[in-house]
Amino acid sequence: MIKINANCWNEHGELKTVMVCSPSSVDVPDQRTADYVGWEKPVNQVKAKANHEEMIRAMEDTGVRVIDYSKHLPDEVGELNHKLINRVFVRDLACVYGNTVIPGDAGITMRAPEYFHSHELFQSWFDEKTFSIKDNNSLKALENGDVFVLNRDAVFINTGMRSSIESIEALKSKIFLAGFSEIGIIDLPRTGETMHLDMNCNVAGEDLLIAKSYMSLFPVQVVSENGAKYVMMEDFIKRQGFEVLWTDNVKHTVADINFLNLDPETLLVSTKANKSIFKEHPKVRGKKIIQVDVNELEKGGGGIRCMTLPLERK
């Protein structure tokens, strides 16, 4: 039986345990079908599986414990789960806030079974103090590609295309109880390119955030137990100890922004990413960049961060 000590107080600490899910067995055969299901391009799942295995090897080679949750599903559940084309994007399913695992809620019904299946597993993986499946009973939609745990004090959440302000309101007391003092809430445009927060910005170390330049124009509502106020995004981020690298040097939205911190000095990025972004600021220029080919997987509309759910960071 898997037992995990959930521990994530930031996005950049040494990754010890991460959850993934292997791609579906079902192809998305043509562009018309891809358009219907919200994907960028058709996907061959044989190629996608090879990409996914390469990504797992890259993480395991650095000492990360990788758990594929699909391998732990009961047979009767696994038969359905294996046909769910979005199941590889595990980041959305939950978030580890410090030592507390809070389940998400699907923003579209097509993804609902993945949440239900993984959350049932979490009940056996974590103790009752760490995880309660009841925490999402009052949620309307919260996909955790919209959530960043910035540090021990603050989290950053987007209420947008797949996450509702009602869900954030319902969870804020649980987030404060987990040990955080502030929740920064931004409201990004409802488009495919801005579906989740991590398609628009990403933490690139202990004191640097990379973000698309347009985000500098957006205010953030800062919520604490004592009330709320509004500040501009850069002011909120800087108050958390981060500099912001504003960039328009984005050609492939998902590949360029959607990377994973393996430790404070190492980033796992797509071979398709525009590497010049990682030369634009001295705080990221010297980092070790590990590249993996996830091109087939990215056609589904998500990247490396979308396909990994950190459960434990040192």
Side-chain angles (χ1 to χ4, degrees), residues 63-293:
V64 179
R65 177 192 183 195
V66 181
I67 300 170
D68 184 339
Y69 89 81
S70 69
K71 295 181 179 179
H72 300 274
L73 294 170
D75 290 343
E76 63 274 15
V77 172
E79 185 177 352
L80 168 62
N81 191 273
H82 207 55
K83 298 173 184 176
L84 301 175
I85 62 169
N86 291 302
R87 72 176 195 162
V88 70
F89 302 124
V90 296
R91 176 72 64 153
D92 300 324
L93 303 178
C95 181
V96 180
Y97 293 83
N99 303 122
T100 302
V101 182
I102 300 181
D105 188 69
I108 54 172
T109 54
M110 184 180 185
R111 298 204 61 187
E114 308 159 45
Y115 288 73
F116 185 75
H117 297 162
S118 61
H119 296 168
E120 285 200 322
L121 281 179
F122 290 169
Q123 290 184 98
S124 63
W125 289 4
F126 303 104
D127 59 46
E128 292 182 4
K129 184 179 179 181
T130 301
F131 174 81
S132 172
I133 200 168
K134 296 177 182 178
D135 284 337
N136 73 347
N137 283 354
S138 57
L139 302 189
K140 295 185 181 299
L142 181 64
E143 297 192 350
N144 286 282
D146 278 323
V147 179
F148 281 87
V149 176
L150 295 177
N151 53 38
R152 286 182 171 267
D153 294 319
V155 300
F156 190 29
I157 305 178
N158 173 47
T159 170
M161 191 171 181
R162 294 287 183 87
S163 297
S164 70
I165 188 63
E166 293 85 357
S167 294
I168 300 171
E169 289 287 339
L171 281 183
K172 66 182 182 181
S173 61
K174 185 73 175 179
I175 295 172
F176 295 142
L177 190 62
F180 299 88
S181 58
E182 288 188 346
I183 304 169
I185 304 171
I186 195 167
D187 186 356
L188 296 182
R190 273 75 163 165
T191 71
E193 267 194 23
T194 56
M195 182 184 299
H196 289 140
L197 186 58
D198 64 9
M199 297 171 72
N200 297 268
C201 68
N202 206 344
V203 170
E206 62 181 354
D207 55 3
L208 183 67
L209 183 95
I210 299 176
K212 294 181 183 178
S213 296
Y214 85 91
M215 294 181 70
S216 65
L217 303 177
F218 278 69
V220 169
Q221 183 184 29
V222 183
V223 179
S224 69
E225 291 183 281
N226 299 321
K229 63 180 180 180
Y230 285 91
V231 300
M232 296 306 290
M233 176 181 157
E234 185 166 25
D235 295 331
F236 171 69
I237 295 299
K238 284 188 171 182
R239 200 152 53 79
Q240 307 309 324
F242 293 84
E243 288 187 47
V244 184
L245 168 57
W246 302 109
T247 184
D248 291 313
N249 199 4
V250 176
K251 297 177 181 177
H252 309 287
T253 299
V254 172
D256 294 337
I257 295 289
N258 205 267
F259 52 82
L260 178 70
N261 290 263
L262 295 180
D263 60 50
E265 299 302 325
T266 309
L267 302 178
L268 184 66
V269 309
S270 167
T271 54
K272 199 175 179 181
N274 183 0
K275 309 307 183 298
S276 64
I277 292 175
F278 304 110
K279 299 176 183 178
E280 290 183 15
H281 195 287
K283 288 185 176 179
V284 73
R285 199 175 297 145
K287 289 186 182 291
K288 181 179 181 182
I289 306 295
I290 299 176
Q291 300 181 55
V292 289
D293 181 355

Side-chain angles (χ1 to χ4, degrees), residues 2 4-5 7-8 14-21 52 55-60 62-69 72 88 90-91 96 122 125-126 260-262 268 304-313:
I2 290 179
I4 301 164
N5 295 317
N7 188 65
C8 287
E14 182 183 349
L15 185 60
K16 304 299 291 183
T17 305
V18 67
M19 190 182 86
V20 301
C21 183
H52 198 257
M55 184 183 74
I56 289 174
R57 283 195 300 272
M59 292 188 288
E60 290 179 336
T62 64
V64 179
R65 177 192 183 195
V66 181
I67 300 170
D68 184 339
Y69 89 81
H72 300 274
V88 70
V90 296
R91 176 72 64 153
V96 180
F122 290 169
W125 289 4
F126 303 104
L260 178 70
N261 290 263
L262 295 180
L268 184 66
I304 291 173
R305 189 181 192 271
C306 299
M307 295 182 280
T308 52
L309 172 55
L311 300 176
E312 183 183 6
R313 288 189 182 274

